[in-house]
Each structure stands twice: as C-alpha cells, then as structure tokens.
Amino acid sequence: MITFKMTSPKEIIEGVATRMKRRRIDANFTQRELASKAGVSYGSLRVFEETGRASFEAVVKLAFALEAEAEFESLFPSRPPKTLEDVVGHPARMRVRKK
C-alpha cells in the first residue's frame, strides 16, 4: 500500500517554526532570552518564528537551547536494505563527478 503525504516544504518549515515557538513559550523564554541562550541574533529568531526562514545552523542552535537536539537523530535515517547485495555488504554505489 502506498501512502501519500500532502505536505509541502513550506508547510514543514512553518510547522517547525510554530513548534519551536510553542516550545520557547512553554519553557518560559522571551525571544531575546532564547536568542541569547542559543547564540543567535534576536532578529534571526524573530524572522524564524514569523516566517520559518533561518539558517540550518541557527535552527540547530535553537534546538540545543530548548533541549530538543535529539529530534535531529530521526532526520535522514538509514534506509533498510532493498536487495540481497545490500545485505551482503557490497560497497555503496557512489556518484562520480565528471570534470
């Protein structure tokens, strides 16, 4: 059975920003306090909460400040083997860059 997720990159970004803001509020931090604790600028935090735009580095720093860094472990997990060759341990195919 195939499942389809009707989620866009924009919806994911906005959802992450909303959940981070909720976590900040639950932790009883002001925007300025969290920005200072995370080592990101106040303006960057404001923009992230309002639009979801931020560098990945800033998002990771905010996650650490909110004790949510463990959630990154589930991002891009290894995929289960698909073929017998995958199980036997043949080296992974690598893309060769043409010069």
Side-chain angles (χ1 to χ4, degrees):
M1 174 183 222
I2 297 174
T3 57
F4 293 97
K5 292 186 178 182
M6 302 301 268
T7 306
S8 69
K10 181 180 181 199
E11 290 171 321
I12 291 171
I13 291 165
E14 289 172 351
V16 169
T18 298
R19 289 190 302 276
M20 191 281 307
K21 180 178 180 177
R22 193 174 322 125
R23 189 132 179 189
R24 172 184 64 79
I25 292 168
D26 290 346
N28 207 26
F29 286 122
T30 65
Q31 287 179 326
R32 288 189 189 278
E33 289 169 335
L34 178 58
S36 176
K37 182 176 180 175
V40 301
S41 73
Y42 167 67
S44 293
L45 176 57
R46 277 189 46 232
V47 168
F48 180 60
E49 286 190 1
E50 291 172 12
T51 68
R53 288 191 312 252
S55 71
F56 187 66
E57 180 180 5
V59 173
V60 171
K61 286 179 175 183
L62 291 165
F64 267 85
L66 291 168
E67 299 177 0
E69 70 278 1
E71 283 82 344
F72 285 104
E73 290 297 321
S74 62
L75 188 62
F76 304 117
S78 297
R79 292 188 179 218
K82 293 181 180 179
T83 67
L84 185 56
E85 284 183 356
D86 293 340
V87 175
V88 180
H90 283 73
R93 287 175 268 189
M94 296 178 68
R95 176 181 265 174
V96 178
R97 229 182 207 179
K98 294 181 181 181
K99 292 183 181 184

